[in-house]
Amino acid sequence: MDVKRIVCKFLVLMIALSALVHLSGGDEAIAQSGQKARPAAALPDGLFVKESIPRALGVKDAKEGTKQGDTVVIVGRIGGRPVPFVHGRAVFLLADETLLPCAEGCATPWDFCCTPPNIIMEGLATVQVLGPDGRTLKTALQNVNGLRPMAAVVVEGRVAKRDMNVFVVNADRIYVKPPGK
């Protein structure tokens, strides 16, 4: 793969992630306008499960074998950026378990800063939780039910977008592995 394609794929991922971050700024605009901000949306009943979900694939394997609309079960760790959660939205990045955290030289080891960007992109999925209206819920997921950077997570849902390295899954069920498992 040539450098130009790698840079192009990296830019596509960054644009997609920037769009998600930009969408999260809506509450700030409401607050500045003097209007009352809407309360955070409630997460769907049954979203977090206490038992692991069987037949989970690593993020890389799931990306290779699925298409938009498929049901998928993926396993990974929350990470891939210094802040792998979208502020005020039910969205996080899930990294393939083959991506290793950087022991030295990174303030946030879960961003895998010692790994080339194209390798990181190949192993990332965006996980989002939708409301009844089909839109991403306006609620934070960080620190909910153990969701934090480097948490091992299994997600079952539908592939919402599968384009180049962009892989978005609409979560139906999330299992957070206990630390040390």
Side-chain angles (χ1 to χ4, degrees), residues 34-73:
Q35 298 175 2
K36 289 187 178 182
R38 294 183 211 141
L43 294 170
D45 290 336
L47 176 66
F48 289 97
V49 296
K50 295 184 186 297
E51 302 278 329
S52 187
I53 305 165
R55 296 182 299 280
L57 298 171
V59 174
K60 287 181 182 181
D61 291 337
K63 287 172 86 167
E64 289 178 15
T66 58
K67 62 185 181 308
Q68 190 168 328
D70 286 352
T71 297
V72 66
V73 179

Side-chain angles (χ1 to χ4, degrees), residues 27-37:
D27 292 338
E28 291 174 23
I30 289 172
Q32 290 176 359
S33 71
Q35 298 175 2
K36 289 187 178 182

Side-chain angles (χ1 to χ4, degrees), residues 138-159:
K138 292 182 179 181
T139 191
L141 285 179
Q142 187 167 4
N143 298 320
V144 174
N145 282 35
L147 292 178
R148 60 180 172 25
M150 291 304 293
V153 178
V154 180
V155 176
E156 179 180 41
R158 289 208 179 264
V159 178

Side-chain angles (χ1 to χ4, degrees), residues 90-113:
V91 178
F92 62 88
L93 290 176
L94 190 65
D96 193 272
E97 290 180 309
T98 61
L99 293 172
L100 300 176
C102 302
E104 295 180 21
C106 291
T108 54
W110 53 84
D111 69 0
F112 314 112
C113 70

Side-chain angles (χ1 to χ4, degrees), residues 16-25 81 85-87:
L17 292 173
S18 294
L20 288 172
V21 171
H22 175 71
L23 289 173
S24 70
R81 287 186 28 204
F85 294 90
V86 175
H87 177 74

